[in-house]
């Protein structure tokens, strides 16, 4: 990490002091040199250095080791390799040696061992990173040294988890969704712990604005993750609805897919050996009618000519002066004229059967429905035209709960009642006037033999 080496990595004309991003790393050169010592070389050498350093730091009651104690403790190592590792750790400031030739961890060495120990403690978790970042944030919050960078690391991990879960849902794979759901369940305690840390951080009225801004974004990301479990359940329900059961065996398509995923490549190749062709095999399937249609087109000169004829039909003039279609209200107008006779002076009220019958069941049903509408008073009806004139007839309609026999005009029985000029009908003695009487409820219709 010499300046000359950095100058070789930087662009021409750029000095290391001119790069703000390098400033904190250059200031931490001793710590970085310690980690470089630990992790430089082959994997076997790295493992041996880490093991020696961790075992020296594990002894808390008597943290100083004599050379003889170290040789006894690491008797399973080659003495020359052990001496080389101790010299390397001591030469880069991870170990200290006193005047009595006893070894002990330096401050940098103990910090390195503690950091590595924390990482290893999370190694058995489903998600090492979120647990480590949350624990680190909790420790920084406890000592009052939370930094925006530490919060940013946690925010980045939460957003990465949200993207991973949404991608699993979008894939539609039952197995990916199940794995993502297990991962979410394993990390829920770290999400809840992070929520507690954020609440304590935001409860401080003196918290810096930059910390508060990142903390609020972390809270939003945690809320998204809390809602993901419901999305997982909806996706699994949709997959469950599409699952296919193989006959009455109780084996579903998911069971088959799980079994196939457990096979190695050689077993899968054996299963599909006779099922796949090296080239697509074209198969033409057609029914007799389809073949006959195609044969007729190929053999008939007239059919081919009609098929090839793409000329437009001759032009025609649009019909002129065509009157718009109107609703046929002749039956309504005729019925209005019949009812108007009841409004003349001296006219007696007439029974419903007398006024309604005539023209068969459909016409009688139509008239009775008009009388029911007239009995309602016609509120909100049209004011113009034949319908409006009908609704303004000064008539009263009285429906009775009893029925009377008709026996003609396709009507067996119908509701009893009276129609008369306004104020000429007696007060009802049985059931009050019906508000709205459906046509199919007023008739007991039977088709006559003639019909």
């Amino acid at each position: 990490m010499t300046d000359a080496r950095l100058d070789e990595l930087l662009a021409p004309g750029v000095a290391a002091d001119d790069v703000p991003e390098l400033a904190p790393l250059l200031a931490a050169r001793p710590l970085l040199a310690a980690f470089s010592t630990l992790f430089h070389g082959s994997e076997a050498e790295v493992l041996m250095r880490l093991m020696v350093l961790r075992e020296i730091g594990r002894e808390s009651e008597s943290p100083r080791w004599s050379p003889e104690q170290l040789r006894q403790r690491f008797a399973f190592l080659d003495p020359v390799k052990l001496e080389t590792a101790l010299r390397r750790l001591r030469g880069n400031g991870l170990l200290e040696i006193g005047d009595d030739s006893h070894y002990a961890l330096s401050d940098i060495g103990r910090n390195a061992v503690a950091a590595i120990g924390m990482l290893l403690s999370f190694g058995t978790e489903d998600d090492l990173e979120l647990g480590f970042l949350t624990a680190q944030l909790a420790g920084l919050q406890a000592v009052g040294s939370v930094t925006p960078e530490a919060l940013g690391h946690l925010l980045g991990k939460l957003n990465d988890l949200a993207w991973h879960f949404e991608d699993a849902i979008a894939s539609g794979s039952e197995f990916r969704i199940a794995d993502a759901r297990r991962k979410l369940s394993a990390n829920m305690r770290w999400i809840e712990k992070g929520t507690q840390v954020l609440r304590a951080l935001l409860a401080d009225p003196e918290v810096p604005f930059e910390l508060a801004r990142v903390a609020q974004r972390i809270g939003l990301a945690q809320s998204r993750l809390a809602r993901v479990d419901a999305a997982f359940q909806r996706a699994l329900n949709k997959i469950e609805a599409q699952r296919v059961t193989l006959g009455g065996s109780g084996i579903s398509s998911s069971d088959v897919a799980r079994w196939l995923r457990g096979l190695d490549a050689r077993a899968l190749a054996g299963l599909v050996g006779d099922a796949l062709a090296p080239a697509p095999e074209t198969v033409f399937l057609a029914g007799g009618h389809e073949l006959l249609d195609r044969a007729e087109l190929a053999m008939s000169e007239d059919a081919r000519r009609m098929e090839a004829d793409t000329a437009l039909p001759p032009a025609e003039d649009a019909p002129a002066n065509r009157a718009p279609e109107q609703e046929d209200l002749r039956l309504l107008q005729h019925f209005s004229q019949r009812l108007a006779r009841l409004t003349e002076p001296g006219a007696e009220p007439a029974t419903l059967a007398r006024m309604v019958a005539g023209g068969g069941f459909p016409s009688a049903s139509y008239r009775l429905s008009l009388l029911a509408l007239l009995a309602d008073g016609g509120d909100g009806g049209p004011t113009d035209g034949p319908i409006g004139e009908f609704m303004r007839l000064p008539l009263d309609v009285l429906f009775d709960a009893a029925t009377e026999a008709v026996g003609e005009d396709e009507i067996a029985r119908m509701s009893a009642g009276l129609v008369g000029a306004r104020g000429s009908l007696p007060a009802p003695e049985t059931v009050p006037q019906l508000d709205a009487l459906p046509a199919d409820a007023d008739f007991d219709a039977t088709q006559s033999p003639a019909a």
Side-chain angles (χ1 to χ4, degrees), residues 31 34-35 38-39 50 53-54 94 106-118:
L31 179 61
F35 279 99
L38 283 174
F39 296 102
L50 289 175
L53 193 66
R54 292 186 68 225
L94 291 167
S106 65
D107 292 339
I108 294 178
R110 189 168 297 280
N111 289 338
V113 169
I116 295 172
M118 179 177 290

Side-chain angles (χ1 to χ4, degrees), residues 299-382:
M299 299 176 63
S300 173
E301 186 66 29
D302 294 338
R304 287 198 299 269
R305 186 171 58 256
M306 293 173 59
E307 185 76 14
D309 186 9
T310 59
L312 296 175
E316 293 184 2
D317 295 333
N321 300 326
R322 177 178 293 179
E325 296 183 0
Q326 296 182 355
E327 185 179 2
D328 188 2
L329 298 177
R330 288 178 297 176
L331 187 59
L332 171 65
Q333 294 171 346
H334 184 270
F335 189 47
S336 299
Q337 295 173 4
R338 182 190 298 185
L339 293 176
R341 300 193 190 101
L342 299 177
T343 62
E344 296 177 357
E348 296 293 331
T351 63
L352 292 180
R354 174 187 165 191
M355 301 303 300
V356 166
F361 178 78
S363 299
S365 177
Y366 175 66
R367 296 189 191 98
L368 190 60
S369 65
L370 291 176
L371 288 179
L373 182 64
L374 189 61
D376 289 340
D379 295 336

